[in-house]
């Protein structure tokens, strides 16, 4: 058996890589479970363990579904107290998988139960380390996600634990071992992650700011907490789902895969208070959508944005979805705990229009038209990118309202008169436009292709220092 055939970890991680890389490919945990089972059968092996590095916050882990389908044992590190059957490993405990050995090492910091897993081959040579959210490529896990569980677990206390875990448990390991983190660029579980998904520990010691050899604990805590924004609102809810358990995906699918006529969708939404969530490509939404619906497209960073913007995982939802994408949409919503889908629009927007119901659109212009219009009318510009993106280059005079803070900064949105709205590539600005329209703002003009397109025009670009970019 080869190292890559040791199927460990939580299956939500594969979903995360799809989301953070912006891929539109479907991630179906139950299908992946079946794939694992088939691989194991082909290798004449059984799936023995499901190793969890910690109670995840950004996704509902697939551990319970996987255990139910395979009979494998769920393993957590020391101090974990799940509300379901699991093996709680001791620090240094070893697990045999074929000729290989997996060793649990307790590395508190990101959370108290955070645990890494060392992979030893058949010759006893240390091959790599699964680091979970303790060590990323270019970063380490944020220490503020467990604060909601108890008042004593401040971010400073956890940051202190993380410093000790890195220095005493991980940095002394051989430089040539491979680091396998849970997340890559785009995750909200860190602030400076690389797009690379693996690296040697030795290279991380040279390049990762948090592993600087001469760094004091006080310097580590200061650097780690500096610029650490508030975590998405749905994170604590996902942590509790991963601790207490959740409804199986089979049951979620049975409830959610209900085709609704336009009239029935309208009735269900009104009677239940459901949000109409439109997950089609942004160009389709711009051209025509159900008034008051919220756009978050499947072709982008879908599930994390749903969690960040809708926030309450119990919020009822009805979907407008491209034909054939119903299962994908429901599955990806379930991976962040949104299991209260009440159905989807049968026949899509074509059926809605044919039924004679009202539609709405978003005014949208090309970057070239934006440049011409800005020179002529000097309308206000709202930039919906993250602060770090904004500071690296922005349209002179633009106001930064990050998408995930649109509700908190609603007072900064012009209530009267037209204004331009853009993001980096056109996805987030349409999400923000849909939220603003649902709140009664109809005076925005979306800029297609976002800042990427704007940079190719003659519009003046500045940086945070006030200098031309």
């Amino acid at each position: 058996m080869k190292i890559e055939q040791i199927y460990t970890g939580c299956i939500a991680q594969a979903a995360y890589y799809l989301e953070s890389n912006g891929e539109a490919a479907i991630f179906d945990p139950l299908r992946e479970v079946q794939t694992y089972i088939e691989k194991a059968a082909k290798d004449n092996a059984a799936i023995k363990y499901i190793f969890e590095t910690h109670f995840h916050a950004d996704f509902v882990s697939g551990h319970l579904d996987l255990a139910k389908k395979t009979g494998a044992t769920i393993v957590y590190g020391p101090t974990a107290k799940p509300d379901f059957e699991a093996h709680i490993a001791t620090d240094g405990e070893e697990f045999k998988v074929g000729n290989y050995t997996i060793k649990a090492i307790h590395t508190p910091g990101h959370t108290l139960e955070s645990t890494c897993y060392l992979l030893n081959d058949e010759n006893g040579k240390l091959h790599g380390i699964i680091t979970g959210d303790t060590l990323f490529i270019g970063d380490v896990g944020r220490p503020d996600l467990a604060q909601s569980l108890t008042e004593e677990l401040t971010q400073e206390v956890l940051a202190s634990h993380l410093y000790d875990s890195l220095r005493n448990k991980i940095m002394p390991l051989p430089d040539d071992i491979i680091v396998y983190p849970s997340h890559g660029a785009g995750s909200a579980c860190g602030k400076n992650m690389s797009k690379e998904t693996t690296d040697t520990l030795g290279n991380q010691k040279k390049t990762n700011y948090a592993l600087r050899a001469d760094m004091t604990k006080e310097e580590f805590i200061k650097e780690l907490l500096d610029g650490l924004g508030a975590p998405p609102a749905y994170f604590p809810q996902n942590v509790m789902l991963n601790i207490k358990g959740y409804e199986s995906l089979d049951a979620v699918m049975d409830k959610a895969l209900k085709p609704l006529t336009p009239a029935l969708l309208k009735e269900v939404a009104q009677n239940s208070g459901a949000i109409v969530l439109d997950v089609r490509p942004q160009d389709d939404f711009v051209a025509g959508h159900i008034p008051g619906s919220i756009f978050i497209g499947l072709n982008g960073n879908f599930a994390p944005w749903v969690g960040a913007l809708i926030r309450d995982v119990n919020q009822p939802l009805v979907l407008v979805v491209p034909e054939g994408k119903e299962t994908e949409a429901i599955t990806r919503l379930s991976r962040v705990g949104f299991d209260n889908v009440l159905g989807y629009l049968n026949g899509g927007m074509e059926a809605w229009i044919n039924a004679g119901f009202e539609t709405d659109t978003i005014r949208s212009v090309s970057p070239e038209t934006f440049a011409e219009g800005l020179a002529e009318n000097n309308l206000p510009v709202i930039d919906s990118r993250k602060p770090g993106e904004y500071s690296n280059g922005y349209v002179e005079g633009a106001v930064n309202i990050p998408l995930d803070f649109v509700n908190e900064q609603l007072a900064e949105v012009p209530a009267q008169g037209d204004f331009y709205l853009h993001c980096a590539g056109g996805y987030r600005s349409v999400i923000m436009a849909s939220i603003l329209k649902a709140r009664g703002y109809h005076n925005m003009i979306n800029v297609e292709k976002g800042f990427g397109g704007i940079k190719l025009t003659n519009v003046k670009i500045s940086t945070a220092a006030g200098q031309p970019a």
Side-chain angles (χ1 to χ4, degrees), residues 228-250:
L228 197 61
Y234 76 101
F235 271 26
Q237 298 172 75
N238 274 202
V239 169
M240 295 312 297
L241 286 169
N242 284 322
I243 292 174
K244 294 182 175 298
Y246 48 84
E247 195 171 16
S248 75
L249 191 60
D250 287 329

Side-chain angles (χ1 to χ4, degrees), residues 48-52 73-80 86-97 100-107 115-120 126 130 169:
K48 190 175 181 180
Y49 298 112
I50 301 164
F51 292 96
E52 290 280 352
T73 299
I74 299 172
V75 178
Y76 281 96
T79 77
H87 177 85
I88 307 304
T90 58
D91 189 17
E93 184 173 351
E94 295 184 347
F95 301 83
K96 288 292 184 181
V97 181
Y100 294 83
T101 302
I102 298 175
K103 182 178 181 179
I105 57 171
H106 189 207
T107 52
T115 297
C116 297
Y117 296 96
L118 295 172
L119 305 176
N120 291 274
L126 186 56
I130 297 173
K169 295 291 188 71

Side-chain angles (χ1 to χ4, degrees), residues 114-141:
S114 286
T115 297
C116 297
Y117 296 96
L118 295 172
L119 305 176
N120 291 274
D121 66 19
E122 71 275 19
N123 298 314
K125 177 177 171 52
L126 186 56
H127 167 83
I129 179 171
I130 297 173
T131 54
D133 287 20
T134 296
L135 174 62
F136 299 122
I137 307 304
D139 202 359
V140 292

